[in-house]
Amino acid sequence: MIMEIPFIRDTKVEYGACERLSPLVRRVVCNNPNPFTFTGTGTFIIGNGTVAIIDPGPLNEAHLDSIMAALQPSEIVSHILVTHTHADHSPLAVPLKERTHALVCGALRPPKNKTQKIEAVNLDEGISLEEAIDQSFKPDIVLQDNDELTGADWTLQALYTPGHISDHMCYALQEEKTLFTGDHVMGWATSVIAPPDGNMRDYMAALHRLLARDDVLYRPTHGAAIENPQVFVRAYIAHREARQAQILEQLEKGATQIADIVAVLYADIDVRLHPAASLSVLAHIQALIEDGIVICDSSTGGGTASLHANYNLTGTKSS
């Protein structure tokens, strides 16, 4: 059975309003709800006086105006931090910089790993997610793991958490032991892992890294805050491990195509999310190929891991 995650879906939002969440955190939610963003992109304002902004959001003029209206007349925005370069998180950084003259901060997508055991995934035409990558993102400050940015009353530490996408960063507000988790851990749904830029092994390693931390609260970009984050992350990990076991079970039963696996394992979710589910199954299979547990039929899908290739067990499945 799949581990039950204590999701928080009873969330009310007033779009464009500035909500005070804590002494150091305010939030403005963009009016861009959909099956991938839940109630919309939450933009966080950190600190008082000189502030940082986390995840400005999509190109949306009304949201930009709302962010500016949420600032006090005398406040200065020193930094604009981006958790990752999906189109619902980073594109508004440029127009926000033009209005505030702040420095844009975030990670760069790393070059392709030349040592990976399988070729880059061939994504099929017709698969289109809301999470298109913002290819134009060019930060003024390229952040590395554990880098810190500071203001008069805040300290933000960058935590590199690839998997959902290769440039994903979480940000820890040290004064409140709060982690801004972007899409790495969300309270309303599991994160989509979409190859080729998403990687399941990286994602699982980044989840395990969070267990060693002492954060008391997570604030995802979409949806409500997560209390008891350690319990939540353990449920996330158990869910992914159970999903992998289900995929192996389907392969043992003779299913060779991702579409057939998705039809069984995701029968109870919105069909609009099936393309995303297909990519997550592909990410699991990609990891299983790297572990030598699954092979890709060389006569299908161009011989590489793709949504329409055939897959089989190698006979070396671990217990």
Side-chain angles (χ1 to χ4, degrees):
M1 286 182 62
I2 285 291
M3 175 75 174
E4 287 293 328
I5 302 172
F7 288 129
I8 311 153
R9 294 180 173 136
D10 185 15
T11 303
K12 295 181 180 180
V13 172
E14 183 180 353
Y15 295 114
C18 179
E19 181 184 8
R20 171 66 71 173
L21 301 177
S22 77
L24 292 178
V25 180
R26 287 166 274 172
R27 182 180 65 173
V28 180
V29 180
C30 182
N31 188 3
N32 65 327
N34 63 49
F36 297 96
T37 64
F38 191 39
T39 56
T41 298
T43 297
F44 296 97
I45 301 170
I46 311 300
N48 301 280
T50 298
V51 305
I53 291 176
I54 297 176
D55 276 353
L59 287 175
N60 183 304
E61 190 71 21
H63 187 52
L64 177 59
D65 290 340
S66 296
I67 294 170
M68 296 303 299
L71 301 171
Q72 297 298 315
S74 61
E75 283 190 316
I76 296 171
V77 181
S78 61
H79 299 85
I80 300 167
L81 286 73
V82 169
T83 60
H84 63 292
T85 53
H86 279 147
D88 54 328
H89 290 254
S90 64
L92 200 65
V94 172
L96 183 58
K97 175 184 176 179
E98 291 173 351
R99 291 217 196 171
T100 64
H101 308 293
L103 296 171
V104 176
C105 312
L108 292 177
R109 292 169 65 207
K112 292 180 180 179
N113 182 2
K114 295 180 181 179
T115 65
Q116 67 184 46
K117 297 179 182 179
I118 62 174
E119 297 179 40
V121 174
N122 294 326
L123 295 183
D124 305 271
E125 292 184 5
I127 297 298
S128 177
L129 300 180
E130 295 293 328
E131 299 184 322
I133 294 174
D134 177 11
Q135 302 284 356
S136 65
F137 181 71
K138 294 181 179 179
D140 299 304
I141 299 176
V142 177
L143 293 174
Q144 306 294 331
D145 191 34
N146 293 318
D147 281 353
E148 288 188 358
L149 300 170
T150 60
D153 58 354
W154 53 266
T155 307
L156 288 167
Q157 180 187 32
L159 186 70
Y160 184 45
T161 50
H164 173 63
I165 184 173
S166 61
D167 60 11
H168 197 288
M169 284 280 191
C170 293
Y171 297 104
L173 177 58
Q174 295 184 6
E175 289 78 5
E176 295 187 349
K177 288 190 176 294
T178 294
L179 189 68
F180 295 87
T181 57
D183 286 359
H184 183 58
V185 178
M186 300 184 293
W188 69 282
T190 55
S191 182
V192 174
I193 313 301
D197 210 60
N199 183 284
M200 188 62 70
R201 296 177 84 183
D202 288 347
Y203 181 71
M204 295 298 288
L207 284 180
H208 280 284
R209 182 183 182 188
L210 295 188
L211 292 178
R213 296 180 54 83
D214 62 352
D215 308 295
V216 299
L217 188 73
Y218 289 173
R219 293 197 186 278
T221 298
H222 309 289
I226 300 170
E227 300 177 352
N228 300 315
Q230 300 284 332
V231 172
F232 204 92
V233 170
R234 288 191 181 93
Y236 243 53
I237 291 170
H239 173 91
R240 288 293 184 185
E241 290 173 344
R243 183 66 78 195
Q244 177 171 297
Q246 287 185 329
I247 292 168
L248 288 171
E249 182 182 12
Q250 290 301 308
L251 290 169
E252 287 175 340
K253 290 181 177 179
T256 60
Q257 290 258 322
I258 286 176
D260 296 331
I261 295 172
V262 169
V264 174
L265 301 189
Y266 295 89
D268 59 343
I269 71 166
D270 188 334
V271 294
R272 293 176 295 175
L273 296 177
H274 278 200
S278 297
L279 290 169
S280 279
V281 170
L282 179 58
H284 274 291
I285 287 177
Q286 186 178 46
L288 291 167
I289 290 173
E290 292 176 352
D291 290 339
I293 298 170
V294 170
I295 57 173
C296 176
D297 187 337
S298 62
S299 66
T300 62
T304 61
S306 69
L307 291 172
H308 294 306
N310 289 333
Y311 300 97
N312 295 283
L313 298 176
T314 63
T316 59
K317 182 172 78 77
S318 59
S319 58

